[in-house]
């Protein structure tokens, strides 16, 4: 019996390989990360990391909670009302974690809150304290008073944190917070900024410093456990891309393909998407961060799906562009071949000794060369190529989809980057651009002909690449990428 293709697409997802054994980040690894950070900030310092505040969606409904990346990196704790403190100079109290108390009445509504013993076991932090004790702890830290984790200390007892108190008295004390990438201009101050402002006012002799560069350097190189989680997220995303290629053959709206993608994520073990899925049909594929995902499928057009699953905080990010009816038209294939060639020439440069700008520059040059052959530009320059490729051709990948990155740092083994060239033909935008307007009339005329022929075609190909000591490893290679592989997979699905 031949099944309807919509059911076949679901079957493809349901019958995909069961989740592989994934190496998770252990308490010992979290301890090692904190020890490395403690060593970097030194014995005269304190490091404090706050959890994110729950985000309100509407009314009394919150978005699902997602921890601040650096706190997640250092503890694995994906829960609100969590604060990590490192005190490298304190032999008896080198680190504390303030974490939510058990609350049977609240747990009836929202689920079990881990016990202090469970939090200690999961994170490797020996001293886990009620968050209600944090304010008193900070007072004791700066004032040099005694402090007890389970109650107030004696007024006459010695300082609870003597090493920090000594540094404070000698003018050496530093407090490190995570300032970067939090509350860009125009937004309310973050908790870190508010905390620093308050304690600077009260104790101007204390130096407040940004720990972001230290954590950035640590997070750029992924551990084996992190790579295992990223690879699992990529594997799930690859299966979602295959399922989407099958589903589009009978889908009538973008939302139907999106539903198949996100069902696949959850069905194969991802918690969720790493970023909102982009499912762009026809001309929508020329919009870089298209959001609506509810327009009709353009049957003779392309579908661009830019998607990524998240597994235990780690992201995938894979884009494929394919014909909704299963076969590329000559014009679609011409644009697609340019993007594929750009990726094929750029990815080999993703190896130690190069920086990402080298891969980006190569991709832009290849795109410009291809556009020149099609008549969409009159010279292979970055300025003209930028009319059609107007974004960076990749980014680091990790706890963020666009992860932290030192742009001056060369590729090193253990880094993970995407590679994502694209070409987006938006005729009216090109005609309105200053680049086009300053061209001679004869060149404008020739470009108009090509623009009319290719208008509305958008192609992006994005793969996740692990930097190794040798050849770069394409983690997402199992998602059909060449026109022949895409058409072959879709033909197989059509025949079922």
């Amino acid at each position: 019996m031949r099944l309807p293709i919509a059911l076949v697409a679901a079957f493809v997802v349901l019958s995909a390989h069961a989740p592989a054994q994934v190496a998770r980040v252990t308490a010992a690894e979290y301890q090692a990360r904190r020890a490395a950070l403690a060593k970097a900030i030194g014995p005269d310092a304190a490091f404090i990391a706050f959890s994110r505040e729950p985000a309100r969606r509407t009314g009394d409904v919150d978005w699902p909670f997602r921890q601040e990346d650096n706190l997640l990196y250092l503890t694995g704790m994906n829960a609100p009302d969590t604060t990590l403190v490192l005190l490298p100079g304190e032999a008896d109290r080198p680190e504390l974690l303030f974490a939510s108390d058990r609350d049977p009445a609240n747990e009836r509504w929202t689920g079990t809150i881990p016990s202090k013993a469970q939090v200690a076991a999961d994170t490797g932090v020996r001293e886990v304290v009620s968050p209600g004790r944090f304010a008193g702890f900070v007072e004791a830290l700066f004032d040099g008073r005694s402090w007890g984790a389970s109650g107030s200390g004696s007024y006459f007892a010695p300082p609870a944190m003597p090493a920090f108190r000594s540094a404070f008295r000698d003018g050496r004390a530093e407090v490190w917070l995570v300032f970067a990438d939090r509350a860009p201009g125009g937004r309310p101050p973050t908790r870190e900024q508010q905390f620093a402002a308050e304690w600077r006012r009260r104790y101007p002799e204390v130096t407040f410093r940004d720990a972001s560069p230290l954590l950035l350097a640590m997070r750029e190189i992924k551990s084996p456990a992190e790579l295992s989680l990223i690879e699992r997220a990529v594997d799930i995303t690859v299966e979602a891309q295959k399922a989407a290629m099958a589903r589009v053959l009978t889908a009538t709206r973008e939302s139907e393909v999106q539903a198949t993608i996100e069902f696949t994520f959850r069905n194969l073990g991802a918690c969720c998407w790493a970023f909102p899925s982009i499912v762009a049909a026809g001309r929508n594929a020329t919009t870089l961060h298209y959001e609506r995902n509810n327009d009709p499928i353009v049957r003779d057009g392309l579908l661009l799906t830019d998607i990524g699953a998240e597994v235990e905080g780690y992201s995938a990010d894979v884009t494929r562009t394919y014909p909704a009816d299963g076969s590329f038209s000559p014009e679609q294939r011409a644009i697609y071949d340019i993007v594929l060639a750009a990726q094929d020439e750029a990815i080999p440069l993703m190896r130690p000794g190069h920086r990402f700008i080298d891969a980006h520059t190569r991709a832009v040059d290849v795109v410009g060369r291809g556009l020149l052959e099609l008549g969409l530009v009159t010279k292979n320059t970055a300025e003209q190529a930028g009319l059609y490729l107007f974004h960076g051709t990749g980014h680091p990948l990790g706890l963020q989809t666009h992860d932290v990155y030192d742009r001056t740092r060369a590729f090193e083994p253990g880094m993970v980057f995407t590679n994502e060239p694209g070409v987006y033909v938006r005729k009216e935008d090109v005609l309105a651009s200053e680049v086009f307007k300053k061209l001679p009339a004869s060149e404008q005329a020739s470009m108009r002909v090509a623009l009319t022929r290719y208008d509305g075609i958008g192609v992006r190909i994005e793969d996740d690449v692990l930097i190794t000591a040798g050849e770069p490893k394409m983690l997402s290679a199992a998602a059909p990428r060449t026109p022949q592989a895409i058409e072959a997979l879709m033909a197989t699905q059509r025949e079922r």
Side-chain angles (χ1 to χ4, degrees):
M1 180 180 68
R2 297 183 67 180
L3 297 174
I5 292 178
L7 294 180
V8 171
F11 178 76
V12 169
V13 175
L14 288 167
S15 61
H17 296 298
Q21 199 66 22
V22 176
R24 290 177 166 80
V25 180
T26 64
E29 183 167 334
Y30 290 126
Q31 288 176 313
R33 293 172 182 178
R34 295 193 298 270
L37 179 60
K39 182 178 180 180
I41 65 176
D44 297 332
F47 168 80
I48 302 174
F50 300 113
S51 60
R52 291 198 186 281
E53 297 293 333
R56 183 58 48 89
R57 180 178 183 271
T58 183
D60 60 355
V61 177
D62 287 340
W63 290 105
F65 182 78
R66 171 58 159 77
Q67 188 59 276
E68 195 276 326
D69 294 317
N70 295 294
L71 184 54
L72 190 64
Y73 178 77
L74 293 168
T75 67
M77 282 285 291
N78 189 30
D81 209 11
T82 302
T83 303
L84 173 68
V85 178
L86 303 182
L87 296 165
E90 307 296 342
D92 296 331
R93 180 171 277 144
E95 55 184 16
L96 303 90
L97 190 64
F98 295 84
S100 297
D101 299 312
R102 295 292 305 273
D103 182 355
N106 189 45
E107 289 176 38
R108 293 170 60 189
W109 294 85
T110 59
T112 302
I113 298 171
S115 67
K116 298 293 188 289
Q118 186 62 56
V119 171
D122 291 344
T123 64
V125 178
R126 184 179 63 192
E127 190 168 1
V128 182
V129 187
S130 168
R133 300 284 299 145
F134 179 71
F137 166 81
V138 176
E139 293 280 355
L141 179 69
F142 283 99
D143 290 346
R145 298 203 309 261
S146 65
W147 179 83
S150 58
S152 59
S154 167
Y155 178 82
F156 298 101
M161 282 68 72
F164 187 84
R165 180 60 180 172
S166 176
F168 180 89
R169 286 188 170 185
D170 293 343
R172 305 188 314 271
E174 298 177 339
V175 176
W176 294 71
L177 301 163
V178 180
F179 288 122
D181 299 324
R182 307 290 293 273
R187 296 186 185 179
T190 64
R191 186 177 178 186
E192 291 82 0
Q193 292 166 338
Q194 293 172 352
F195 181 91
E198 168 65 17
W199 290 96
R200 278 193 187 111
R201 182 184 62 80
R202 294 173 61 175
Y203 296 100
E205 61 269 45
V206 176
T207 300
F208 285 82
R209 301 188 64 179
D210 184 10
S212 302
L214 302 177
L215 286 160
L216 182 155
M218 293 169 63
R219 285 172 51 190
E220 280 188 291
I221 306 296
K222 273 55 178 183
S223 71
E226 290 181 290
L227 291 175
S228 179
L229 293 169
I230 291 171
E231 288 180 25
R232 184 59 197 154
V234 172
D235 289 346
I236 292 171
T237 305
V238 165
E239 294 302 322
Q241 287 287 10
K242 293 177 182 178
M245 290 179 191
R247 182 67 185 98
V248 73
L249 292 167
T250 55
T252 60
R253 305 195 78 84
E254 296 162 340
S255 56
E256 297 168 32
V257 180
Q258 179 184 3
T260 295
I261 289 165
E262 293 175 9
F263 165 78
T264 309
F265 289 170
R266 297 303 301 271
N267 188 57
L268 294 183
C271 73
C272 44
W273 42 252
F275 55 91
S277 300
I278 298 171
V279 182
R283 185 174 292 273
N284 293 337
T286 68
T287 301
L288 186 58
H289 285 166
Y290 174 72
E291 297 178 343
R292 195 162 49 241
N293 294 358
N294 199 39
D295 280 2
I297 297 296
V298 180
R299 191 45 55 196
D300 61 351
L302 297 174
L303 186 75
L304 185 155
T305 47
D306 185 342
I307 60 175
E310 181 176 309
V311 174
E312 296 192 23
Y314 289 85
S315 299
D317 189 1
V318 181
T319 304
R320 290 294 184 264
T321 310
Y322 40 93
D325 63 2
S327 298
F328 288 93
S329 72
E331 289 75 18
Q332 293 165 355
R333 176 67 183 268
I335 298 295
Y336 195 97
D337 285 346
I338 291 173
V339 179
L340 185 63
Q343 199 186 47
D344 283 343
E345 291 199 31
I347 287 177
L349 297 177
M350 298 175 70
R351 61 175 67 222
H354 290 280
R355 293 182 299 150
F356 193 86
I357 189 64
D358 301 326
H360 172 79
T361 302
R362 177 67 62 84
V364 172
D365 179 66
V366 175
V367 165
R369 188 172 68 212
L371 294 172
L372 184 61
E373 292 178 2
L374 298 185
L376 286 165
V377 299
T378 60
K379 295 181 181 65
N380 183 7
T381 64
E383 183 181 51
Q384 289 200 31
L387 295 171
Y388 306 92
L389 173 51
F390 40 79
H391 60 80
T393 57
H395 53 81
L397 192 66
L399 285 169
Q400 292 182 29
T401 304
H402 294 171
D403 207 21
V404 293
Y405 177 40
D406 177 358
R407 287 165 174 77
T408 67
R409 189 175 184 177
F411 287 129
E412 296 179 40
M415 293 180 172
V416 181
F417 279 78
T418 70
N419 187 291
E420 53 172 317
V423 169
Y424 316 92
V425 185
R426 300 169 63 94
K427 178 180 177 180
E428 294 305 317
D429 289 0
V430 173
L431 296 181
S433 71
E434 293 304 314
V435 174
F436 179 83
K437 290 178 180 178
K438 70 182 183 182
L439 295 175
S442 60
E443 294 185 13
Q444 290 185 4
S446 67
M447 279 182 62
R448 285 179 187 273
V449 174
L451 282 165
T452 299
R453 181 176 182 184
Y454 297 102
D455 185 35
I457 297 177
V459 173
R460 182 163 65 254
I461 309 171
E462 179 178 22
D463 283 280
D464 301 338
V465 180
L466 170 63
I467 311 303
T468 75
E471 296 288 330
K473 179 181 179 182
M474 191 184 296
L475 303 178
S476 48
R481 189 175 72 100
T482 66
Q484 298 89 341
I486 289 170
E487 290 181 341
L489 181 141
M490 297 182 77
T492 300
Q493 298 305 318
R494 186 190 292 111
E495 291 167 2
R496 292 189 178 185

